Amino acid sequence: MRIEILETTQEIATRVSEVLLQQVRQKPDSVLGFATGSSPIETYQKLIEAKKKGTVDFSRVTTFNLDEYCGLEPTDPHSYYAFMREQLFAPAGFCYENVHFLSGLAEDHEAICRAYREEIARCGGIDIQLLGIGRNGHIGFNEPSDSFSDGPFMVQLAQSTLDANARFFENGTPPRYALTMGVGDILAAKKILLIATGESKARAIRAMVRGDVTPQCPASALQNHPDTTVYLDRAAAQLL
Ligand code: GLP
């Protein structure tokens, strides 16, 4: 695991976007794994800037998002699909037929999860997976638990995650369940870029980097990945 500590969130966004842009310029039909949350937003803005300048074309890129809340229509403004459409896919010119999401509306969620994994494999695997991290060390929506998940699955969200994400919901209550890629799916990505900023992430970052590899800190599994780079500001890195 490589660690890069940068001074500002803008510097982090510049570094991470450069890696993603280089990937897409070299391989226009790249497969990218995307994350939601506030951590990647500035990176997404840099990708949009590059598209507007005409220095990149995302129309042949295939995407897989990490996770989605159960029970929300894609048109629901709180859904992660809506988040990605607004923050990246529409302004950066991604082609919707290449965009993949776990459907939080599916009745047979096990079938949806199996199909998602098969589709990632059919597309040749994920070239670069972008990640944030939860305050409790979750990646995607893989909450602390007794074992590492392998493939996509339905998860009951931890109270600390519901509290952290309540700010995105006017009524203060996110759905209790979500579908997420498993830790195994994330580790299968060829390259992983993780962004964490702010003091609220410092303990999770310490556990991820310095702690044991344990499903109690799902992000610690990244210690076993051959090509992961973690981009931190000083506040997130303060306990390393
Ligand atoms: C959410 C998402 C994660 C994200 C994390 C951190 O729960 N499911 O994919 O990485 O929270 O979010 P933020 O970047 O807003 O701190």
Side-chain angles (χ1 to χ4, degrees):
M1 198 186 274
R2 280 182 301 278
I3 313 282
E4 289 199 23
I5 302 171
L6 296 157
E7 294 304 323
T8 65
T9 56
Q10 276 294 307
E11 281 176 55
I12 294 174
T14 300
R15 296 278 292 160
V16 175
S17 62
E18 276 166 3
V19 178
L20 292 165
L21 289 168
Q22 194 188 7
Q23 169 72 32
V24 174
R25 286 175 188 136
Q26 275 171 5
K27 186 183 169 202
D29 60 348
S30 289
V31 180
L32 301 181
F34 283 126
T36 52
S38 44
S39 303
I41 289 180
E42 286 171 275
T43 298
Y44 293 159
Q45 287 166 356
K46 303 272 182 210
L47 299 182
I48 294 164
E49 280 168 26
K51 148 77 183 164
K52 288 194 174 146
K53 282 188 201 144
T55 60
V56 67
D57 175 10
F58 292 112
S59 65
R60 291 174 58 205
V61 171
T62 294
T63 74
F64 288 90
N65 257 80
L66 279 169
D67 45 17
E68 179 60 286
Y69 288 113
C70 287
L72 298 187
E73 297 279 347
T75 49
D76 187 312
H78 304 103
S79 72
Y80 281 167
Y81 185 86
F83 174 99
M84 289 303 300
R85 193 184 52 219
E86 271 167 41
Q87 299 291 337
L88 183 66
F89 294 150
F94 282 78
C95 179
Y96 284 101
E97 59 194 44
N98 302 335
V99 163
H100 298 86
F101 250 84
L102 284 157
S103 167
L105 291 175
E107 277 181 28
D108 188 349
H109 56 86
E110 287 180 10
I112 284 288
C113 288
R114 265 196 313 277
Y116 205 64
R117 189 165 224 205
E118 284 164 15
E119 188 63 11
I120 294 173
R122 198 187 63 76
C123 293
I126 292 173
D127 292 307
I128 300 184
Q129 176 67 54
L130 187 58
L131 293 178
I133 184 170
R135 295 171 199 187
N136 61 3
H138 74 230
I139 45 175
F141 268 139
N142 288 272
E143 300 284 28
S145 75
D146 293 335
S147 59
F148 286 117
S149 56
D150 186 22
F153 68 108
M154 187 161 89
V155 62
Q156 180 170 5
L157 300 176
Q159 190 57 47
S160 63
T161 300
L162 295 172
D163 294 345
N165 291 351
R167 66 190 194 279
F168 297 114
F169 292 79
E170 294 85 25
N171 65 3
T173 47
R176 285 207 148 259
Y177 288 89
L179 298 183
T180 181
M181 279 189 202
V183 171
D185 299 310
I186 293 169
L187 292 181
K190 290 161 199 144
K191 181 190 274 294
I192 296 176
L193 313 174
L194 184 145
I195 300 173
T197 60
E199 193 181 356
S200 67
K201 302 292 173 68
R203 285 182 57 190
I205 292 299
R206 183 181 164 79
M208 173 181 83
V209 176
R210 301 255 180 263
D212 295 339
V213 175
T214 164
Q216 292 302 325
C217 175
S220 66
L222 300 173
Q223 290 179 26
N224 292 330
H225 186 269
D227 187 2
T228 290
T229 307
V230 178
Y231 297 87
L232 305 172
D233 65 1
R234 292 206 177 273
Q238 67 183 277
L239 298 179
L240 290 181

